[in-house]
Amino acid sequence: MVEFHNYYYKKISMKLYELQAIAKRLNDFTFISRARRIEDNTIEITFDKHSSYFFNMTRGHSFVYKAPSQRPLQGYNAPFDTLLHSLLSGSKLLSVDVPNGDRILRFTIAPKSSYKDKIIYFQLEFTGKNTNAILIDDNEVIIEALRHIDADSSFRVIRPGIELLAIPPFERTEEHKEIEDIDAYLEQKFTNIQAKKLLEMKKQKLSTVAKKIKKFEQLLNKLPNKENLEAQAKEYKNSANLILANLYQIKPYDTKLKTYDFEGNAVTIPLPKDTKINRMSEYYFNLSKRAKAKAKSIHIEEENLRSKKSFYVNIYYALEQANTPYELELLVPKRAKSLRKKEKLREGELFWIEDYKVMVGRNSNENQKLLSMAKGNDIWMHTREIPGSHVIIRTDKQNLPDSVIEAAAKLCVDFSTDQPGNYLVDYTKRKFVKLQEGSNVEYDKYQTVAILKEGIEIRL
């Protein structure tokens, strides 16, 4: 049993004296304004309307920090999130304890929604691989939990409707330290964690974008030369004419035609397989037409590839300038787990901002496609007076949150230019935008957001 206990606790990140200092500080507050999940494993609890504390419940690396309130990277709507909000937001905070000297923060709460003197508990367990956040009723029965744990994974089953067993006592020796200012301590922890997280995320996302840039460079290098295509078209046409002039020499099952060109030079022309003799010249005429057509349109393909490469070069620059993990995640989102967010655009790039679908054109052709796809009440935006990406925000709502507008405007600027400076981004409903020549537009009834490119946003 001792070996089990050692395994149970060996990956713990939080120190007991840290949790005791945190509990003491949180007892200064009287109510919880808001409780929500802002990342997969991080819960934000705002006390007395102004003080936000964050509880990262990652297995084997849990910690607490203090910082300004943060926008969630995505919406969380699991049963745990619904109950966390309904039971804790607006509730009265009765006490915060560290029971039995375990690495646990236990909140005793009187929910706002209760008609009687109902009491519930919110238990944050900083216990290595079994780290968890658990809502419990006054009979110690589990209401819901961040993670469900079955009997084959642990001796403590964590599921709704099951009585929560106490953590077995375990004697440990740990140096105790006094923390004079726990808020400053937790704020510094946030600064350290943020810097490390930013560095790691930036490195990974820069690598991802660099690969895309390299891919378009390779495609550009593989593009055939216009002059070579024209010469090839001429060569195919000559071969077709020579075959026509020498049809009488070609026998069934011949694989090549040896003859003289119109200047008297000896030539050998490979003959297409499984083709009737009287259709062999047509084969080469078709090759000539294709090469000629490709020579005429190769500049379009080249421009398309260059514009896409430029798009990712702009993203790369924006990543280098990003100051927060939120900005990095917005520019290059991690692969989403939900099927809805695995959706991809055939023309353009797809992003999600606070559960709003945001589409970005990478060149003039994609800008036109996005405009044709957009619905009347969708929001269209574009940087004023400089060419660049059109952005469409899918919505039927009359008013979008300012945070969504500002984040989308930042994307619009980041994807349109790599030059720092102040930029104006106009936005309006799609129905007020008229497509002119190419992807040029006229629009009215618009509003404007000013963006300072360096990661700072200013709202007009």
Side-chain angles (χ1 to χ4, degrees), residues 151-422:
D152 58 353
S153 301
S154 172
F155 78 100
R156 294 172 81 226
V157 175
I158 307 295
R159 282 198 169 277
I162 302 294
E163 182 180 356
L164 181 65
L165 299 178
I167 295 175
F170 173 65
E171 291 185 10
R172 67 182 72 83
T173 57
E174 182 181 295
E175 181 184 359
H176 181 81
K177 296 181 181 178
E178 290 294 331
I179 302 175
E180 292 185 7
D181 187 338
I182 188 62
D183 279 356
Y185 182 87
L186 296 178
E187 286 166 357
Q188 185 59 49
K189 179 168 283 195
F190 169 70
T191 300
N192 296 342
I193 291 167
Q194 191 83 336
K196 184 178 180 182
K197 184 177 182 181
L198 185 71
L199 191 64
E200 291 174 350
M201 285 182 68
K202 186 173 287 192
K203 183 179 178 181
Q204 183 267 322
K205 293 183 184 298
L206 283 171
S207 175
T208 298
V209 175
K211 288 177 183 177
K212 291 186 177 182
I213 294 171
K214 186 176 181 180
K215 182 188 80 171
F216 285 110
E217 284 178 348
Q218 291 171 338
L219 290 172
L220 281 164
N221 291 333
K222 288 179 181 178
L223 279 181
N225 180 275
K226 181 182 178 181
E227 287 73 22
N228 291 342
L229 284 169
E230 289 173 341
Q232 196 175 54
K234 186 176 180 180
E235 183 181 337
Y236 286 144
K237 187 176 180 181
N238 286 337
S239 295
N241 285 323
L242 286 170
I243 290 173
L244 271 178
N246 293 276
L247 278 178
Y248 67 94
Q249 293 190 44
I250 302 173
K251 299 175 182 178
Y253 309 112
D254 276 353
T255 60
K256 52 190 174 183
L257 168 66
K258 289 185 177 182
T259 187
Y260 294 89
D261 64 17
F262 299 111
E263 283 77 36
N265 301 310
V267 294
T268 300
I269 303 172
L271 298 176
K273 293 180 181 180
D274 303 321
T275 304
K276 293 181 179 180
I277 294 174
N278 62 351
R279 304 296 295 270
M280 287 181 176
S281 61
E282 183 181 344
Y283 170 82
Y284 275 100
F285 278 128
N286 286 336
L287 287 180
S288 178
K289 287 178 183 178
R290 288 175 200 161
K292 191 174 181 180
K294 193 170 182 67
K296 284 184 177 180
S297 63
I298 195 67
H299 70 283
I300 298 173
E301 190 174 351
E302 181 181 1
E303 182 183 342
N304 181 48
L305 290 173
R306 289 194 184 282
S307 65
K308 289 179 179 179
K309 177 189 170 185
S310 178
F311 178 87
Y312 290 110
V313 168
N314 288 343
I315 292 182
Y316 193 93
Y317 177 85
L319 286 171
E320 289 185 315
Q321 300 300 313
N323 296 316
T324 66
Y326 180 85
E327 287 181 81
L328 293 174
E329 195 61 40
L330 192 61
L331 288 164
V332 184
K334 63 183 177 182
R335 289 183 179 179
K337 295 178 182 177
S338 66
L339 290 174
R340 179 170 69 91
K341 292 189 178 180
K342 285 182 179 177
E343 178 184 353
K344 289 185 178 181
L345 283 181
R346 294 182 67 180
E347 304 285 348
E349 288 282 331
L350 176 61
F351 299 85
W352 294 90
I353 302 176
E354 297 179 28
D355 278 349
Y356 286 89
K357 185 177 180 179
V358 179
M359 300 175 287
V360 181
R362 292 173 295 189
N363 53 42
S364 178
N365 181 56
E366 291 185 349
N367 287 339
Q368 293 178 60
K369 291 285 179 65
L370 291 185
L371 280 165
S372 66
M373 288 167 53
K375 299 177 181 178
N377 285 327
D378 290 345
I379 298 298
W380 167 90
M381 58 173 53
H382 188 267
T383 47
R384 187 188 295 180
E385 297 180 353
I386 65 168
S389 296
H390 290 214
V391 172
I392 300 291
I393 308 174
R394 271 279 159 87
T395 182
D396 288 322
K397 295 183 179 179
Q398 291 299 314
N399 296 301
L400 286 178
D402 286 350
S403 57
V404 174
I405 292 292
E406 291 166 359
K410 181 67 166 57
L411 287 180
C412 191
V413 171
D414 284 338
F415 296 157
S416 298
T417 179
D418 63 358
Q419 297 300 310
N422 289 289

Side-chain angles (χ1 to χ4, degrees), residues 69-113:
S69 183
Q70 297 175 23
R71 286 180 289 177
L73 292 175
Q74 66 180 70
Y76 291 95
N77 301 302
F80 171 78
D81 299 290
T82 303
L83 288 163
L84 182 71
H85 171 72
S86 64
L87 293 175
L88 267 65
S89 296
S91 65
K92 185 177 180 181
L93 180 63
L94 302 180
S95 66
V96 183
D97 304 294
V98 180
N100 303 320
D102 279 315
R103 289 183 176 92
I104 291 172
L105 282 178
R106 186 177 174 99
F107 296 75
T108 304
I109 293 159
K112 176 184 177 181
S113 58

Side-chain angles (χ1 to χ4, degrees), residues 9-65:
Y9 284 103
K10 69 179 181 179
K11 290 188 177 181
I12 294 169
S13 301
M14 291 296 294
K15 302 294 185 183
L16 182 59
Y17 67 84
E18 291 177 315
L19 292 174
Q20 289 170 337
I22 291 167
K24 182 179 179 182
R25 171 66 178 114
L26 296 183
N27 275 302
D28 293 337
F29 299 109
T30 57
F31 69 96
I32 293 174
S33 313
R34 179 172 60 192
R36 61 179 178 177
R37 192 152 47 128
I38 62 157
E39 293 179 0
D40 289 353
N41 296 314
T42 303
I43 296 165
E44 176 188 357
I45 301 181
T46 304
F47 300 88
D48 294 0
K49 293 185 179 180
H50 57 78
S51 296
S52 288
Y53 292 78
F54 298 82
F55 305 86
N56 186 308
M57 308 309 292
T58 301
R59 286 189 179 111
H61 188 61
S62 52
F63 54 90
V64 182
Y65 63 89

Side-chain angles (χ1 to χ4, degrees), residues 431-443:
K431 61 186 175 184
F432 301 131
V433 180
K434 293 182 179 179
L435 188 63
Q436 305 295 309
E437 183 180 355
S439 60
N440 295 323
V441 297
E442 288 184 357
Y443 55 94

